[in-house]
Amino acid sequence: DPTGEPEGILTRAGPGYEPGPKGTARINATLLALVRNEELEGMLQAMRDLERTWNRKFNYPWTFFNDVPFTEEFMRKTQAETNAECRYEVIPKEHWEMPSWINRELFKESTKLLKEQGVQYADMVSYHQMCRWNSGMFYKHPALEHVQYYWRVEPKVHFFCDIDYDVFRYMRDNNKTYGFTINLYDSPESIPTLWPETLKFLADHPDYIHPNNAMDWLTDKVRRPDHNEKANGYSTCHFWSNFEIADMNFWRSKAYEDYFNHLDRAGGFFYERWGDAPVHSIALGLFEDKNKIHWFRDIGYQHIPFFNCPNSPKCKGCKTGLLTDGEPFLYMEDCRPNWFKYVGMG
Ligand code: GDP
Ligand code: MN
C-alpha cells in the first residue's frame, strides 16, 4: 500500500472529512473531463475503467465541461455509468474564445508555418483554445469555485489497476500539489518561444522561483540536446497532462496567475501551439517545491500511445514496464529517467 494508510479509513470522519451522502468521507474534489458530445463512447469507456478500478469505492463526483451544451443523451449515458453525482457545465465564452489581442491574420500565417513543420493540430483553432483553457481557465469556472482537488480524465483513456485508497486524501494528507503518471519530451516546434517568454517573466519576478525548484529537470540538455536547442533552453520534458491529479490552489496562486497572463499576452497559445502540459510543467518546476510533485507509479494508465504499467497483481491488461506497445522509437520520448535523476522516485 503506497499510502501506508490503515484499512477502513473511508468510514473515519474527522476535521475536514465531510461525510458523503452514503457515509463515506470524501474530501473536496472532483473528477473532471473536458469533452465533446461526439466523444460520448470514448468517455463512457474511460468512465467504466475508472469507476471499476477506483471510483466505485469512493464515489467522487464527475464534472463534465464543454464549449457547447451537453446533449440529453450524453448526460443520461454518462450518469448511468456511476453512482456518483454528475455535473454538466458549459464554458463561458470569455474563457474559451480567442482573446481580442490575438491578431487573426498573424494566427493564420503562423499556424500555416507550424503545420508545414509537422506540428499536430496546428491549424485547428479549437485545439489552441483547448490548450489555453486547460492552462489557465478551467479552475476559474464558477462550478469549481469551491472545489480544491481534481483528477483530469479524457475520453478513451484506460485505467488498469485496482486502487484501494483515496488518492485525493493521499494528496491532501501528504501535502502534494500535483500527481502524474507519464513524463515525456514535447515537440519543440510547438513551443519555440515558451522558454524565452518564461525567462522574461522570471527576470521581472525572480521572487516567484521556489528554492526547491526543478530547474535542472526543465533545462536538462544531456539526454536530448536537440530538443533543448530547438526549444531555446527548455528540455521540453513535461508531465503528460491528459492525466493530472492536482490541487487547484496552485493554479489559483498569484505566481501562476501572473505567469499565465504573461504567456497569454505573449500570444503563443495561438501563434505557436503551446500545450497546457509544458505550461503546467514549467510552472510547477519553477514555482513549486519539487517534493510536492508525486509520481503515481501505482495507477496503471494509458492514453494512446503511452502507458504507465506497474508490476503488480492489482493490474490487468497492460504490459509491465513498457512505455509503449513495444515501439522502440517512442521509447526516446520518455522523460521519466530525467525526473528520477533530478528529483528522485518520491
Ligand atoms: P490530444 O490528447 O492532444 O490528442 O487531444 P484531444 O483531442 O484528446 O483533446 C484533449 C481533451 O480536450 C479531450 O478531453 C477532448 O475531449 C477535449 N477537447 C478538445 N477539443 C475540444 C473542443 O473543441 N470542445 C470540447 N468540448 N472538448 C475538446
Ligand atoms: Mn487526448
Side-chain angles (χ1 to χ4, degrees):
D1 174 3
T3 66
E5 293 293 323
E7 298 281 317
I9 201 73
L10 269 178
T11 51
R12 193 183 78 186
Y17 295 79
E18 298 81 13
K22 296 185 183 74
T24 56
R26 285 190 292 273
I27 61 164
N28 188 4
T30 187
L31 300 165
L32 186 157
L34 170 72
V35 55
R36 293 170 278 225
N37 284 310
E38 306 81 74
E39 295 171 299
L40 173 59
E41 283 310 317
M43 194 71 240
L44 295 176
Q45 176 262 293
M47 284 183 81
R48 269 174 218 137
D49 271 25
L50 190 51
E51 287 288 333
R52 183 188 73 249
T53 55
W54 184 70
N55 198 42
R56 69 182 165 81
K57 298 160 226 173
F58 299 93
N59 284 317
Y60 275 94
W62 287 84
T63 311
F64 298 95
F65 291 96
N66 196 344
D67 55 310
V68 299
F70 283 109
T71 61
E72 189 278 328
E73 183 194 17
F74 187 99
M75 296 191 277
R76 177 169 39 84
K77 290 191 173 167
T78 47
Q79 180 65 79
E81 294 295 337
T82 176
N83 291 325
E85 182 195 350
C86 291
R87 304 163 186 162
Y88 302 92
E89 305 292 342
V90 175
I91 298 168
K93 290 222 176 324
E94 65 274 20
H95 283 183
W96 187 261
E97 278 174 1
M98 193 189 282
S100 57
W101 60 83
I102 299 299
N103 178 322
R104 268 59 179 173
E105 279 310 305
L106 187 55
F107 170 70
K108 264 189 222 155
E109 285 166 33
S110 336
T111 49
K112 192 162 162 268
L113 286 176
L114 289 173
K115 198 168 161 66
E116 284 164 16
Q117 292 175 302
V119 175
Q120 224 188 346
Y121 307 118
D123 57 348
M124 219 173 131
V125 187
S126 65
Y127 196 86
H128 294 258
Q129 293 172 294
M130 177 275 287
C131 290
R132 176 175 178 264
W133 186 80
N134 276 319
S135 297
M137 292 295 164
F138 75 93
Y139 52 89
K140 294 169 182 154
H141 194 285
L144 297 178
E145 194 184 339
H146 302 292
V147 182
Q148 187 179 356
Y149 296 95
Y150 67 98
W151 181 337
R152 176 170 159 189
V153 183
E154 282 197 6
K156 295 212 284 208
V157 301
H158 286 280
F159 296 95
F160 302 103
C161 311
D162 286 324
I163 303 293
D164 299 320
Y165 63 96
D166 181 342
V167 298
F168 291 125
R169 193 173 177 286
Y170 172 84
M171 294 288 288
R172 197 187 64 177
D173 291 357
N174 292 279
N175 200 15
K176 300 291 184 190
T177 297
Y178 191 86
F180 70 97
T181 48
I182 294 170
N183 196 317
L184 296 173
Y185 286 90
D186 209 350
S187 134
E189 295 80 10
S190 67
I191 46 168
T193 68
L194 176 58
W195 189 251
E197 277 305 330
T198 300
L199 294 181
K200 275 191 222 166
F201 176 78
L202 292 181
D204 290 338
H205 300 280
D207 47 311
Y208 284 157
I209 301 179
H210 196 284
N212 194 32
N213 62 67
M215 183 72 99
D216 42 9
W217 168 70
L218 290 172
T219 55
D220 175 87
K221 52 183 163 200
V222 177
R223 186 141 162 269
R224 300 193 73 176
D226 53 320
H227 273 54
N228 186 299
E229 193 178 322
K230 287 188 208 151
N232 295 302
Y234 171 38
S235 65
T236 78
C237 288
H238 61 281
F239 310 115
W240 213 25
S241 61
N242 47 66
F243 175 106
E244 313 192 293
I245 297 176
D247 180 348
M248 285 185 277
N249 286 343
F250 179 75
W251 312 127
R252 290 166 178 156
S253 69
K254 177 131 181 17
Y256 187 74
E257 185 59 19
D258 289 350
Y259 179 58
F260 173 75
N261 285 334
H262 177 96
L263 297 182
D264 202 22
R265 286 281 164 182
F269 288 110
F270 293 95
Y271 305 138
E272 296 179 5
R273 212 226 54 207
W274 295 352
D276 50 283
V279 170
H280 280 183
S281 302
I282 290 174
L284 287 157
L286 294 175
F287 312 138
E288 187 51 289
D289 180 341
K290 64 187 177 191
N291 291 329
K292 292 189 175 188
I293 301 171
H294 177 66
W295 177 40
F296 277 104
R297 72 182 82 180
D298 52 337
I299 301 186
Y301 178 70
Q302 180 198 29
H303 176 298
I304 286 170
F306 298 110
F307 289 88
N308 179 54
C309 187
N311 182 9
S312 159
K314 291 188 175 195
C315 305
K316 288 180 194 69
C318 61
K319 289 185 209 151
T320 305
L322 283 181
L323 179 74
T324 74
D325 248 335
E327 180 67 75
F329 165 72
L330 286 176
Y331 201 74
M332 276 306 283
E333 301 305 315
D334 193 0
C335 186
R336 273 180 293 199
N338 274 2
W339 182 257
F340 303 143
K341 172 178 168 186
Y342 291 116
V343 183
M345 301 291 278

